[in-house]
Amino acid sequence: MRTTTGSTSGTAPGSVPATDDRDPAGIVADMVDHVLALAATWTAWDGRPVPADDRVHTPHKAIRRVADHLVDHLAEMEARLVGEETQPDHWHASATTTGADLAPFTGADLDEARSRLTRLARIWVNRLDALTPEQLDRSPGTGWTFRQLAFHVAESTYYADAVGDLSPTRMPERAERIPTP
């Protein structure tokens, strides 16, 4: 797990995710709601990857990265709760853009994303709600606390924000910021 090195989605390498008094389960659920609200505009995507920072992003890649991030850290939390070693991930992360990432984003893809991310958020909410404040802030094993993990996972909005709002009314904005290849 990359629990001590941070990620492109927000936490700087080597830093600890900032937390506050918000409910960690709520911030994970809010993140997924935010991602899905943007994803609802992505059926208008014109097929051009969106550059952000040193990467390119697409609707499918954003959904993949959010889901992978949720799965990765959920697996970490579950392993630590039962006293197992965490398994290192082998995701290609956002550095890789796959052929599948470049596919059109259709209404069916949006439905799939809603089902996948809503279920993952529900698992996170259920797991976090079952933990005591002590467990959230003094988590077993090596790595960030579970509260910090939740706040880190919530940074996955980065991927959706990189693609942005592709509503037809917002498309002229995108045409101005992205050169045609």
Side-chain angles (χ1 to χ4, degrees):
M1 297 283 161
R2 289 181 304 255
T3 58
T4 57
T5 60
S7 85
T8 304
S9 65
T11 305
S15 67
V16 175
T19 63
D20 55 40
D21 61 354
R22 290 177 292 160
D23 173 35
I27 68 157
V28 172
D30 290 347
M31 177 273 295
V32 168
D33 289 345
H34 175 79
V35 169
L36 292 175
L38 286 174
T41 73
W42 295 346
T43 57
W45 182 53
D46 62 11
R48 292 183 291 167
V50 180
D53 299 322
D54 63 343
R55 309 284 163 94
V56 296
H57 302 271
T58 70
H60 282 290
K61 185 175 184 176
I63 297 298
R64 172 174 62 84
R65 291 305 308 134
V66 171
D68 290 354
H69 211 197
L70 287 165
V71 167
D72 183 31
H73 289 296
L74 181 63
E76 174 189 358
M77 185 169 24
E78 292 300 322
R80 289 173 54 197
L81 280 167
V82 298
E84 290 180 359
E85 289 293 316
T86 59
Q87 295 180 6
D89 71 61
H90 299 287
W91 306 121
H92 291 287
S94 61
T96 300
T97 302
T98 69
D101 292 336
L102 298 169
F105 193 81
T106 67
D109 294 313
L110 177 58
D111 289 343
E112 293 286 322
R114 283 182 179 136
S115 291
R116 182 176 298 111
L117 295 182
T118 300
R119 283 172 174 76
L120 281 168
R122 188 77 244 152
I123 294 168
W124 268 90
V125 167
N126 290 342
R127 167 43 74 202
L128 291 169
D129 282 348
L131 298 175
T132 66
E134 172 84 8
Q135 289 172 307
L136 285 170
D137 295 320
R138 298 189 202 296
S139 309
T142 303
W144 295 330
T145 68
F146 297 153
R147 182 181 307 278
Q148 291 165 332
L149 278 183
F151 276 72
H152 172 68
V153 165
E155 295 171 344
S156 294
T157 57
Y158 168 86
Y159 301 109
D161 290 340
V163 175
D165 182 337
L166 301 182
S167 300
T169 57
R170 309 270 306 198
M171 293 303 277
E173 263 179 41
R174 182 167 188 263
E176 291 171 9
R177 72 178 180 158
I178 300 171
T180 304

